[in-house]
Amino acid sequence: MIPIFKPYMPQEIMPKIEEILYSGNLAFGKFGRLFEQDLSTYIGNEKIITVNSYNSAMLVVLSVLGLKPGDEIIASPVSCLASNQPFAVKNLKIVWADVNPLTGSLCPEDVRKRITPKTKAIFHNHFCGFVGEIDEINAIAKEYGLFVIDDCIEAFGSEYKNLQMGNLSSDVSVFSFQTVRLPNTIEGAAISFRDQEMFDRAKKIRDYGIDRAKFRGTLGEISPDCDIEVEGYGALMSEINSYIGTEQMKHLTFLLDKQRGNARIWDAKIKEIEDIVPINLNPETIPNYWVYGILCKDKNKTLENFRKEGWYATGVHINNNIYSVFENKESLKGVDQFISMYLALPCGWWVNNKN
């Protein structure tokens, strides 16, 4: 059966990995900086840092924004559990907003209705790489003085109005480089910022709050004059993961082009199947086609039919408002409708799709 996900790994990387392993330089260093530069060049934004996991990235972001226990954050329950768990860790109050049942993306009108004096941020998930209503959500946030975090956990390489995700008007964008993403660093993530002060603050927070330029004196000893002013995490990406990331970036355009080519073939195939339509796309977006999303009248029957044909169809995620950890099990009409119809089909670089 053709899998829905498959980790990509470039060939001929082992000699350099072995060299790094025995170099004595395993922590964030040369390859960490090179990977960040590669990401910055690709996205078109210099204010990018890497971290060792998506979870670390989210915690760094919430610390950078200064969100405190009890603050409200508006989010979509139609997303990966990894996206929303950090809010529970930080004791933030999650206010679920409904989604457009034809796209799975946040509904701007419903987001507006959820705003209260305690609202601090909107967490805008771009479900399975399909970009949501960027301008509308960002305009609402600007009107109310709120932060916008673009959740690009599955959307690296997706585009909006010919710009890469991470180079838009949103305050922050968060990417995952976990094994089944592109690029894949085995484990890792990146954060892009619009604001220079946030960017500078994030570099400290990912490294225990340390300003490395001042941390040690001329003899290499820790300087008592270097104050630690902010909370921090041990979130730096290792040299091994960073090196893998630099090698992955060399292949990224080819891999994304392959996925988008597979999507065009799926477009033609789906037209021939009754009671199935592609997920409704904003014409100003280009998904990365991490998966190919469809909406179907009978989800279970459609899933079984595709699997019989050798395609591992799946719903990928389940709506997070069913989980007690978030202390908010509000039922949302658009969410229920979308989850009842949505399926993902394999569309990745490994798929040899044919007309």
Side-chain angles (χ1 to χ4, degrees), residues 102-103 129-131 267 278-287 289 292:
L102 300 181
T103 66
F130 294 89
V131 180
D267 285 341
I279 193 170
N280 194 21
L281 287 182
N282 181 331
E284 295 184 299
T285 70
I286 303 176
Y289 286 106
Y292 185 86

Side-chain angles (χ1 to χ4, degrees), residues 205-221:
I205 289 174
R206 71 167 171 176
D207 190 16
Y208 299 107
I210 295 171
D211 182 346
R212 288 290 170 180
K214 303 176 181 178
F215 192 55
R216 296 185 183 275
T218 56
L219 296 177
E221 294 296 291

Side-chain angles (χ1 to χ4, degrees), residues 15 30 44 120 135 155 173 175 197 199 207 219 224 237 242 247 304 322 349 354:
K30 178 181 73 171
K120 303 298 181 184
D135 289 346
S173 299
F175 302 96
E197 186 176 342
F199 172 63
D207 190 16
L219 296 177
M237 183 180 283
S242 298
E247 292 300 302
E304 290 174 357
I322 67 171
W349 53 270
K354 296 179 181 179

Side-chain angles (χ1 to χ4, degrees), residues 206-252:
R206 71 167 171 176
D207 190 16
Y208 299 107
I210 295 171
D211 182 346
R212 288 290 170 180
K214 303 176 181 178
F215 192 55
R216 296 185 183 275
T218 56
L219 296 177
E221 294 296 291
I222 296 174
S223 171
D225 296 326
C226 178
D227 190 18
I228 305 299
E229 303 169 328
V230 295
E231 62 186 279
Y233 309 94
L236 289 167
M237 183 180 283
S238 78
E239 283 291 83
I240 292 290
N241 301 96
S242 298
Y243 167 68
I244 292 172
T246 64
E247 292 300 302
Q248 294 259 341
M249 292 300 292
K250 295 175 183 177
H251 302 260
L252 187 64

Side-chain angles (χ1 to χ4, degrees), residues 13 23 28 105 131 154 158 171 178-179 261 267 273 281 314 318:
I13 64 171
S23 68
F28 181 89
S105 299
V131 180
E154 296 149 354
S158 296
D171 297 286
Q178 197 265 344
T179 52
D267 285 341
I273 305 177
L281 287 182
T314 175
I318 194 168

